[in-house]
Amino acid sequence: MSTARVNELDLMAPPVVKTIERRSLVVGLGFGLISAVGAFVRPEDFFRAYLVGYMAWLGVALGSMAILMLRHLTKGGWGMIIRRILGAAMRTLPLLAVLFVPILFGLRSLYPWANPGEIAKSEHLRQITQSYLTVHGFMVRAVIYLAIWNVLSFFLTKWSREQDHPGARDNSGRFKALSGPGLILYGFTISFAAIDWVMSIDPSWISTIYGLSFLIGQLLSALCFAVVVERILFRYKPMSDLLKAEYVHDHGKFMLAFIMVWAYFAFSQWLIIWAGNLPEEITWYMRRLNGGWGYVGLFLVIFHFAVPFVFLLSRSFKRDVTRLVWLAVWLLLMRYVDLFWMVEPNFSKTLSVTWADVVVPVAMGGLWLAYFFRNLNSMPLVPAYDVFATEVLEPAHE
């Protein structure tokens, strides 16, 4: 690649990124202070909301890492244009490892198997706490999950950073060698993490497709987030020169695919449990179809799947980043509602929204976004000396 074709400074994120970083940090610290006070006043509400918020923001980071590895296996301009956005989101995993710690303090509030009083009441809990669901095992497995994710992120970042300088070696072979096994590791670890951190809230219920529903939700969250960020950057150089309609179209097609797969997994789980009609399996849905929770489920069917599906059938809609971004923002909200619907009915028989359900995720999101935009500002938006960057860079510099 000719070094005369592009200047590294020309590919850096615009100054607005620094401004958003500062504002996000202020929001995160402000809402974080309110959350800390609320944690002492209403710890039960705090820990439930904290778990939902944590899974939501973790989903964006892990989904970004998965899409990044998918791009390394498949190539294509659609992935190159958002590669550094995905990478910046992935590099928030050290922060998310730290943010996992408060969940450990809320084990007794969240999980019956961590509460000696609940274990004494149930023979089933006594059995599973002797084998799998132990506090020590929970902590060890969490360390393993977070370590694997951070190690993958480290190498993907290290090799990517090397491609910002002249004379960089071709790391495409390294990326492929890591991304294949990495995607398999991601699939296994997020499946077990979803079982440990969310499904075990109701340890009497199991579902073999549960982990996959989290996986596809994370991919959707990450892609929608990338679309939002690319739209923000599209108002400024260099993204205004680099982002083409066909790349936006590809992002829209991926959004459509992920929505369809999410709906397929959700419907398959419901259909299998409905057909089986076993008392130990239907309890999960009975909680979510009564007490007002059924309206939330119907809301998700319509606005997480049906309406976005119709919009994304339009080719012109998928090629317009200005219109696509509004749907991406809406789907990010729907991802939070979906996680809320998975977690909260375990604690409340009737539909209820507390202060923590709003304040805590916003506090966590403010801190996460501040770290994300800091990461985004630390590297050029395109690795100029990647052998596959030509497809993105050359049309903009003809």
Side-chain angles (χ1 to χ4, degrees):
M1 176 177 295
S2 172
T3 57
R5 174 152 36 97
V6 61
N7 187 322
E8 180 180 335
L9 294 178
D10 293 338
L11 296 176
M12 295 299 294
V16 69
V17 167
K18 195 68 177 177
T19 301
I20 300 175
E21 176 192 339
R22 290 194 297 267
R23 292 176 179 176
S24 298
L25 183 59
V26 170
V27 170
L29 292 176
F31 278 78
L33 180 61
I34 299 173
S35 299
V37 173
F40 289 98
V41 178
R42 296 293 300 272
E44 295 84 4
D45 293 343
F46 170 81
F47 285 118
R48 297 168 193 173
Y50 192 93
L51 179 62
V52 177
Y54 183 83
M55 294 306 296
W57 291 108
L58 177 70
V60 179
L62 288 182
S64 296
M65 183 177 69
I67 296 175
L68 188 59
M69 289 190 290
L70 180 65
R71 185 266 154 199
H72 285 311
L73 291 175
T74 61
K75 311 308 176 186
W78 68 269
M80 181 63 73
I81 198 68
I82 59 172
R83 176 173 157 182
R84 286 295 167 76
I85 296 174
L86 297 172
M90 174 187 67
R91 295 198 303 279
T92 61
L93 284 169
L95 172 65
L96 288 163
V98 175
L99 291 177
F100 184 79
V101 174
I103 295 177
L104 300 178
F105 290 97
L107 289 182
R108 291 192 177 186
S109 297
L110 292 170
Y111 306 104
W113 51 264
N115 192 326
E118 294 294 329
I119 295 175
K121 299 177 185 177
S122 170
E123 177 64 26
H124 176 68
L125 279 180
R126 283 195 293 271
Q127 292 176 358
I128 61 176
T129 52
Q130 291 174 359
S131 56
Y132 186 79
L133 287 177
T134 64
V135 173
H136 180 262
F138 179 92
M139 295 173 65
V140 169
R141 289 192 300 273
V143 170
I144 293 173
Y145 305 148
L146 292 165
I148 289 174
W149 299 334
N150 276 279
V151 168
L152 289 173
S153 174
F154 171 80
F155 284 106
L156 290 171
T157 300
K158 179 178 181 293
W159 297 336
S160 181
R161 197 182 297 275
E162 292 175 0
Q163 298 175 321
D164 289 330
H165 309 290
R169 62 174 292 180
D170 180 7
N171 283 332
S172 57
R174 285 178 164 185
F175 284 128
K176 290 184 68 174
L178 178 65
S179 296
L183 283 172
I184 296 173
L185 275 173
Y186 162 68
F188 275 107
T189 52
I190 190 54
S191 295
F192 279 99
I195 292 171
D196 284 357
W197 301 348
V198 184
M199 192 167 76
S200 70
I201 295 174
D202 182 1
S204 64
W205 181 80
I206 59 173
S207 170
T208 55
I209 205 171
Y210 193 78
L212 291 177
S213 66
F214 272 81
L215 184 150
I216 194 62
Q218 291 182 347
L219 295 178
L220 178 60
S221 296
L223 190 61
C224 289
F225 180 75
V227 169
V228 172
V229 175
E230 76 179 4
R231 177 61 185 89
I232 294 173
L233 299 177
F234 185 62
R235 299 174 58 189
Y236 311 93
K237 291 180 178 294
M239 188 63 77
S240 59
D241 294 331
L242 302 176
L243 185 62
K244 298 187 290 186
E246 48 263 43
Y247 300 152
V248 179
H249 189 203
D250 289 338
H251 299 158
K253 288 188 287 187
F254 273 110
M255 287 172 61
L256 176 61
F258 293 156
I259 288 172
M260 293 172 65
V261 176
W262 172 85
Y264 171 76
F265 286 159
F267 178 74
S268 296
Q269 178 177 272
W270 176 85
L271 181 63
I272 292 170
I273 291 176
W274 175 82
N277 198 28
L278 299 176
E280 64 270 21
E281 293 183 350
I282 65 173
T283 54
W284 195 84
Y285 278 105
M286 293 302 294
R287 285 178 175 270
R288 287 158 182 79
L289 295 177
N290 295 285
W293 291 109
Y295 295 111
V296 180
L298 180 61
F299 185 81
L300 286 169
V301 171
I302 297 173
F303 294 104
H304 192 314
F305 170 64
V307 172
F309 175 79
V310 171
F311 276 116
L312 289 170
L313 289 177
S314 168
R315 183 176 186 273
S316 61
F317 185 90
K318 292 195 292 284
R319 293 177 68 87
D320 187 344
V321 68
T322 302
R323 289 194 291 173
L324 188 65
V325 70
W326 291 111
L327 183 60
V329 171
W330 177 255
L331 285 171
L332 285 171
L333 176 61
M334 289 299 97
R335 290 303 311 135
Y336 175 77
V337 174
D338 185 36
L339 291 168
F340 180 80
W341 188 72
M342 287 185 176
V343 173
E344 289 293 338
N346 289 294
F347 304 102
S348 177
K349 293 183 179 180
T350 58
L351 175 60
S352 62
V353 180
T354 68
W355 64 272
D357 296 321
V358 177
V359 174
V360 176
V362 171
M364 194 180 303
L367 298 176
W368 188 91
L369 286 171
Y371 194 27
F372 163 79
F373 282 108
R374 176 180 176 274
N375 290 338
L376 188 64
N377 200 44
S378 67
M379 298 170 68
L381 293 180
V382 175
Y385 298 94
D386 186 301
V387 295
F388 296 100
T390 306
E391 180 180 354
V392 172
L393 294 176
E394 282 196 340
H397 294 274
E398 288 178 352

